[in-house]
Amino acid sequence: MGVIDERAISNLSLAAELTKNIEMKLSKGKEKREAIANITPKFMWILKDFALDLVDEYGRNITSSDYLEDCINPSKVTVREGPGESAYKIREAIVKLFRQRECMVFVRPVEDEMQLQNLNSLSLRDMRPEFRQQFEVFRNKIFLECPTKMMNNKPVNGRMMGYLLEQYIKAINEGAVPNISTAWENVLDSEVKRLYENAMKVYKDETDKLATLSELPIEQEELVKRLFRIRMKSENIMDNGSKFSDSESTGRLQRAYITKLSNLYKAKEEEIKSRNARLSQEQCHSKLQSAVATLEKKIMENKYNLDNTGEIKKDIDELIVEYEKEAKGPAKLQVLAKEMPKLVKKLLGSAARNNRERIDKFDSEYKLKLQEMETKTGLDKQELERLQDTEKATRDKIASIESTMKQGQTNEKELEQRVNELADEKNDIEQRQVALKGKVEAQKAELERLQKIEKESQERIKEHQRKARERAQKEKAKKEQAKKEDGKKGKAKEKSGGCSVL
């Protein structure tokens, strides 16, 4: 249409009936029309093939929006009864329901009538420059100035807008009056539920990935950090629902979903921590068994005895170092503390058994030799006493060995204490590493500061040396100049003296 006339305005009669066909929950003292005005979009009237001059009744230039306001001004309707009542109500409804209003005008896109009849086949560059300019302004206004759709001061995205329209159309098709407030609450409930499902899916996917055999076991501190990051990622998704929750029912629904998520977090984290502890225990047992394989081989070969307990201690220390490098998870120290006493006992038992076999062998050989000597040659009393002394010495040696075995049991307790000390030393080393790192950083900063001061000092020394050279050169030049002038004066005096003699 080219102008705004009564016919064009009467076509907007639906606006006057808008309040009758929509229901809303109203705050105390608030009118229905005012409440609807808070959610209505910007009113834009587009006039094509506009040929009028944009001037007022006094001939002054006006904008297209001024033209619109003048045409829909209710005060322009002088007769408000009979036919004039409808014109007044339509204008009043547009003004009160649509607080933002604008009008844009377009000239005819082409001058040629034949082209006008086939306008759909033309490209934009084939149209008039004035039309293209107006079209560009209109397009920029739509894409750059169009605000975000808001409901009760809350942003509405495309998905929510589509759900709102479904609610309105469903009510209309069922012969009911659309209730904006109820539809909006349904949209909010649906959005909060979607956010909950998304947050739950993200959390489950991330924790399932973490719980795989390729990820676990890991140290307990690292596991807690990863679970915290996953939880924050899920909670951030759910927190987006707070910007939509403007009703009590939606708030209750959101709190219920947050409670469900909290229960999910707690159960899943306990499950993963339990799985990590179990896998850590299995892996630590496996690593420890692998580490003791060489020691078991020595045990089978009877390489240990109570005369070389130092070698036993050395092998155990090497085993602990190797184990701590490869073992992971919260069960690392627990498995070591539990299994090491058993291993130490096994090693000492092997050493004691080896010594016992040596003693039994020596005793058997001694008795056999004694019997041979008694049968072959009658031993005299002195030889018998000597053998008895030898037997007594042997028994004393046996007692000494048994004492050594008891000392070995004491060594077992010392090794158990050593395991505990190693755990304490590890914690102490980690604390010293942190402190040392801080000192290194401070010394590094101090070194950089001293290097900077040294560089500045060198630059100042170079500058002083340059200035000193310049001063020396100037002094030298002055002296040479003075010397030349003194020479000239001497020659002048000689000449003047010669003339006086003449």
Side-chain angles (χ1 to χ4, degrees):
M1 59 184 70
V3 295
I4 300 177
D5 53 18
E6 286 300 326
R7 181 179 179 183
I9 293 175
S10 65
N11 289 334
L12 298 176
S13 59
L14 180 61
E17 303 296 324
L18 194 60
T19 57
K20 298 180 181 179
N21 298 311
I22 291 179
E23 291 293 337
M24 287 191 70
K25 292 180 180 178
L26 302 178
S27 302
K28 186 176 181 181
K30 195 171 186 179
E31 294 184 359
K32 186 176 183 180
R33 181 173 288 180
E34 182 182 357
I36 295 177
N38 289 330
I39 64 171
T40 52
K42 183 177 182 179
F43 182 91
M44 179 173 284
W45 199 319
I46 307 299
L47 296 174
K48 66 177 184 176
D49 302 339
F50 188 77
L52 298 179
D53 294 329
L54 288 174
V55 295
D56 60 11
E57 56 187 353
Y58 302 106
R60 295 174 298 192
N61 291 331
I62 60 174
T63 65
S64 55
S65 294
D66 292 335
Y67 170 67
L68 170 65
E69 294 299 321
D70 184 67
C71 292
I72 64 173
N73 189 348
S75 62
K76 292 287 185 177
V77 181
T78 55
V79 180
R80 301 181 183 179
E81 296 180 358
E85 182 181 6
S86 176
Y88 176 80
K89 286 185 176 182
I90 293 173
R91 286 173 167 83
E92 183 186 36
I94 293 174
V95 171
K96 290 187 176 182
L97 292 176
F98 299 96
R99 293 173 178 173
Q100 291 183 313
R101 300 178 294 275
E102 187 175 357
C103 178
M104 291 194 67
V105 297
F106 286 82
V107 298
R108 291 181 65 177
V110 293
E111 295 289 356
D112 186 86
E113 292 294 334
M114 292 297 294
Q115 288 183 324
L116 191 62
Q117 294 178 9
N118 298 286
L119 197 60
N120 292 336
S121 63
L122 298 179
S123 63
L124 186 61
R125 63 174 176 271
D126 296 328
M127 299 179 186
R128 294 171 61 186
E130 298 92 334
F131 179 84
R132 294 202 302 270
Q133 182 179 3
Q134 292 168 342
F135 176 77
E136 193 66 27
V137 172
F138 173 71
R139 182 169 61 180
N140 290 337
K141 187 175 290 293
I142 295 298
F143 286 103
L144 302 179
E145 298 181 15
C146 186
T148 302
K149 175 64 180 174
M150 306 291 287
M151 286 286 290
N152 295 342
N153 296 323
K154 303 294 181 181
V156 180
N157 55 37
R159 180 178 52 258
M160 297 167 69
M161 189 65 185
Y163 191 78
L164 269 176
L165 294 176
E166 288 180 0
Q167 296 283 307
Y168 297 156
I169 294 172
K170 181 180 179 181
I172 293 172
N173 289 339
E174 293 175 354
V177 176
N179 190 310
I180 293 178
S181 301
T182 301
W184 176 239
E185 288 182 1
N186 292 338
V187 169
L188 293 180
D189 291 350
S190 175
E191 187 67 12
V192 170
K193 181 180 179 182
R194 185 191 67 81
L195 290 174
Y196 161 74
E197 292 174 348
N198 192 15
M200 182 173 63
K201 182 178 184 302
V202 168
Y203 185 80
K204 284 187 175 181
D205 290 346
E206 293 289 336
T207 50
D208 288 346
K209 181 180 177 182
L210 177 61
T212 58
L213 290 175
S214 60
E215 293 287 338
L216 299 181
I218 57 177
E219 298 299 335
Q220 188 74 3
E221 182 179 358
E222 177 64 19
L223 178 63
V224 171
K225 288 181 180 179
R226 290 196 188 185
L227 288 173
F228 177 76
R229 287 195 292 266
I230 294 172
R231 175 187 283 216
M232 290 302 298
K233 187 175 181 180
S234 175
E235 287 182 349
N236 288 337
I237 295 174
M238 196 62 197
D239 286 344
N240 290 330
S242 60
K243 63 184 178 181
F244 301 117
S245 300
D246 60 351
S247 67
E248 184 178 353
S249 62
T250 304
R252 286 197 301 269
L253 181 63
Q254 185 180 16
R255 288 191 294 272
Y257 283 139
I258 290 176
T259 301
K260 284 185 178 181
L261 281 177
S262 298
N263 294 334
L264 172 65
Y265 298 154
K266 184 177 180 180
K268 197 69 176 178
E269 287 173 6
E270 289 297 327
E271 176 187 341
I272 293 177
K273 288 178 181 178
S274 176
R275 179 180 177 83
N276 186 57
R278 178 173 57 80
L279 292 176
S280 173
Q281 193 169 26
E282 292 175 358
Q283 189 230 39
C284 290
H285 274 292
S286 175
K287 294 294 182 183
L288 190 60
Q289 291 299 323
S290 176
V292 302
T294 54
L295 300 187
E296 290 181 342
K297 183 179 179 181
K298 287 186 176 182
I299 292 174
M300 296 298 294
E301 294 173 355
N302 294 323
K303 293 293 182 66
Y304 295 121
N305 57 65
L306 296 181
D307 296 333
N308 62 351
T309 54
E311 183 179 355
I312 296 176
K313 182 178 180 300
K314 175 176 173 292
D315 289 347
I316 291 177
D317 288 342
E318 291 177 354
L319 179 147
I320 292 174
V321 172
E322 185 68 20
Y323 170 80
E324 288 183 340
K325 286 181 181 179
E326 298 184 1
K328 295 179 181 179
K332 181 195 294 188
L333 295 179
Q334 295 175 1
V335 171
L336 184 64
K338 182 179 179 181
E339 297 298 328
M340 279 307 297
K342 297 179 182 178
L343 176 63
V344 171
K345 186 175 182 180
K346 188 174 183 180
L347 291 175
L348 293 176
S350 173
R353 185 172 57 254
N354 192 19
N355 277 54
R356 172 59 68 183
E357 290 174 355
R358 288 168 59 193
I359 292 171
D360 292 342
K361 182 179 179 182
F362 179 82
D363 188 53
S364 297
E365 290 176 351
Y366 165 75
K367 288 181 177 179
L368 181 61
K369 184 176 180 180
L370 183 62
Q371 289 175 359
E372 289 177 353
M373 291 177 67
E374 288 177 347
T375 55
K376 289 182 179 180
T377 60
L379 295 176
D380 55 13
K381 184 177 180 181
Q382 184 178 0
E383 182 67 15
L384 181 60
E385 290 177 352
R386 186 184 66 80
L387 290 175
Q388 289 175 345
D389 291 338
T390 303
E391 182 180 4
K392 183 176 181 299
T394 301
R395 294 187 182 279
D396 291 341
K397 187 174 182 180
I398 291 173
S400 176
I401 291 174
E402 289 176 347
S403 176
T404 304
M405 290 176 63
K406 292 180 180 180
Q407 182 65 31
Q409 292 176 354
T410 303
N411 291 340
E412 178 183 352
K413 293 181 180 179
E414 291 177 355
L415 287 171
E416 290 179 5
Q417 184 178 359
R418 174 59 177 161
V419 171
N420 295 330
E421 289 175 355
L422 285 173
D424 295 337
E425 288 176 4
K426 179 183 177 184
N427 294 332
D428 183 56
I429 289 171
E430 289 177 350
Q431 292 175 358
R432 288 163 57 194
Q433 285 178 342
V434 172
L436 183 60
K437 184 178 180 182
K439 290 181 180 179
V440 170
E441 292 295 330
Q443 291 175 356
K444 183 179 179 182
E446 180 65 17
L447 178 61
E448 291 177 352
R449 186 182 71 81
L450 293 175
Q451 289 175 345
K452 183 178 180 182
I453 292 174
E454 181 182 3
K455 183 178 180 182
E456 292 175 352
S457 299
Q458 291 177 354
E459 290 178 352
R460 285 198 296 268
I461 291 171
K462 289 180 180 179
E463 182 64 20
H464 288 321
Q465 290 175 347
R466 184 183 64 77
K467 289 182 179 179
R469 287 195 299 270
E470 290 179 353
R471 286 196 299 269
Q473 290 174 356
K474 288 180 180 180
E475 291 294 332
K476 184 177 179 182
K478 285 181 180 180
K479 289 180 180 180
E480 291 177 353
Q481 184 66 25
K483 187 176 181 181
K484 289 179 181 180
E485 289 178 357
D486 291 341
K488 289 180 181 180
K489 288 179 182 180
K491 290 180 180 180
K493 286 181 180 181
E494 289 177 1
K495 289 181 181 181
S496 61
C499 291
S500 62
V501 172
L502 292 173

